[in-house]
Amino acid sequence: MRGKAEVLMGKNTTIRKVIKDFLKKNEGHPIEQLLAYMVGNVGLVFTNGELPKIRDAIIGNKVPAPARVGAVSPVDVFVEPGPTGCDPGQTAWFQALNIPTKINKGQIEMISRVHLIHEGAKVGDSQAALLQKLNIKPFSYGLVVQNVYDNGSIFDPAVLDIDESSLLAKFFGGVSTFAAASLGLGLPNKATLVHSINDAFKSLIAVALGTDFKFPRAKKFEDFLANPGAFASAAPAAAGGAGPAAAKVEEKKEEEPEEEVGGAGGLFGDDEDW
């Protein structure tokens, strides 16, 4: 993160004193909120860059660490089967841990996967020694982002995962819900305007098809009812490779009486709306 952020690690008492001295000259400054979080093994990362990228860089850098005796395991530790590189004289280590082994080509070989240490359990002497012999470092050290401070606001780092697309999706989902509720209650507003116009247009089309009242926009639907086969044959021609099927559909529709084609032939969704 060189050039992008600065990591500050120090004694909490010293950091708190520096903040308090700053607040004496700048009373009411929002940085006062950080005092409550300067507890435990914590540090500060200062940056003017993009917070999600800085967060990813912080949690992406980890250092492998060996299992030390008495340490609490943060994860489950497994030892995979295969050659161990240990000579046959060291089988006592494996027998003490009830690990099934065999001698192959002059070295000890594990014959099954072993769940050596459970998460939350303390590391024992034999377990630590075995992992050291196998040169396995099951743990890791790294920084964990606990909180984010930005312009006086402190929030959970999970907020950084929210991008523009997810915000837009949530916004439009809320607009759709609001529009549905408004339509159900009969409350006209900007969210229902498009739906109201569409519903009015559907009603006008239904009137035009059932009476002598005509207007230019209804001609397309009248043509469809007068000759539905022309519309059915156009779709397969655009898709390609479906000529025989289109002919069958067209021939079948010509045999059916026009009165069986409901509404506008499904051009505006379900026929129940008509």
Side-chain angles (χ1 to χ4, degrees), residues 4-267:
K4 298 179 180 179
E6 295 290 340
V7 182
L8 174 64
M9 305 292 292
K11 292 185 177 181
N12 293 337
T13 52
T14 303
I15 295 177
R16 284 197 293 266
K17 183 179 185 305
V18 171
I19 294 177
K20 289 178 180 178
D21 291 343
F22 175 80
L23 291 173
K24 290 180 180 179
K25 301 178 181 179
N26 302 271
E27 187 176 354
H29 195 279
I31 200 174
E32 183 179 2
Q33 301 178 47
L34 292 179
L35 290 174
Y37 296 91
M38 302 309 302
V39 178
N41 190 19
V42 297
L44 299 174
V45 179
F46 297 90
T47 181
N48 290 324
E50 297 183 26
L51 294 180
K53 293 183 178 180
I54 299 299
R55 185 273 313 269
D56 294 340
I58 292 174
I59 63 178
N61 286 273
K62 296 183 179 181
V63 179
R68 303 189 182 279
V69 179
V72 177
S73 176
V75 295
D76 290 316
V77 179
F78 295 89
V79 179
E80 303 297 335
T84 62
C86 301
D87 60 83
Q90 302 183 41
T91 54
W93 294 103
F94 300 91
Q95 293 175 354
L97 297 171
N98 295 322
I99 299 176
T101 60
K102 67 178 181 179
I103 306 300
N104 184 21
K105 296 181 181 180
Q107 65 176 332
I108 301 174
E109 180 178 335
M110 295 177 53
I111 60 177
S112 62
R113 189 171 190 250
V114 177
H115 193 174
L116 187 63
I117 308 174
H118 291 271
E119 180 180 356
K122 289 187 176 181
V123 180
D125 294 337
S126 300
Q127 296 167 330
L130 175 61
L131 292 172
Q132 184 177 1
K133 284 181 177 294
L134 299 178
N135 195 26
I136 295 176
K137 296 180 179 180
F139 306 147
S140 62
Y141 287 111
L143 298 177
V144 178
V145 180
Q146 294 182 336
N147 297 281
V148 179
Y149 173 88
D150 185 22
N151 294 326
S153 300
I154 297 180
F155 50 86
D156 191 274
V159 176
L160 300 179
D161 294 326
I162 302 176
D163 55 9
E164 183 178 354
S165 60
S166 60
L167 287 175
L168 288 175
K170 289 182 178 296
F171 173 76
F172 286 121
V175 171
S176 298
T177 303
F178 175 73
S182 299
L183 288 172
L185 296 173
L187 300 176
N189 50 58
K190 291 183 178 181
T192 64
L193 179 61
V194 175
H195 304 283
S196 299
I197 293 176
N198 286 338
D199 290 341
F201 182 68
K202 291 178 183 180
S203 300
L204 289 174
I205 293 295
V207 171
L209 294 177
T211 65
D212 294 333
F213 172 76
K214 306 297 180 186
F215 61 98
R217 293 276 185 164
K219 189 176 186 308
K220 181 179 179 180
F221 301 92
E222 294 173 0
D223 294 341
F224 176 82
L225 292 179
N227 188 14
F231 291 85
S233 59
K248 292 180 181 179
V249 172
E250 181 179 354
E251 181 179 355
K252 181 178 179 181
K253 282 188 175 294
E254 288 177 354
E255 296 174 357
E256 296 175 354
E258 292 183 2
E259 59 189 17
E260 293 184 7
V261 182
L267 294 181

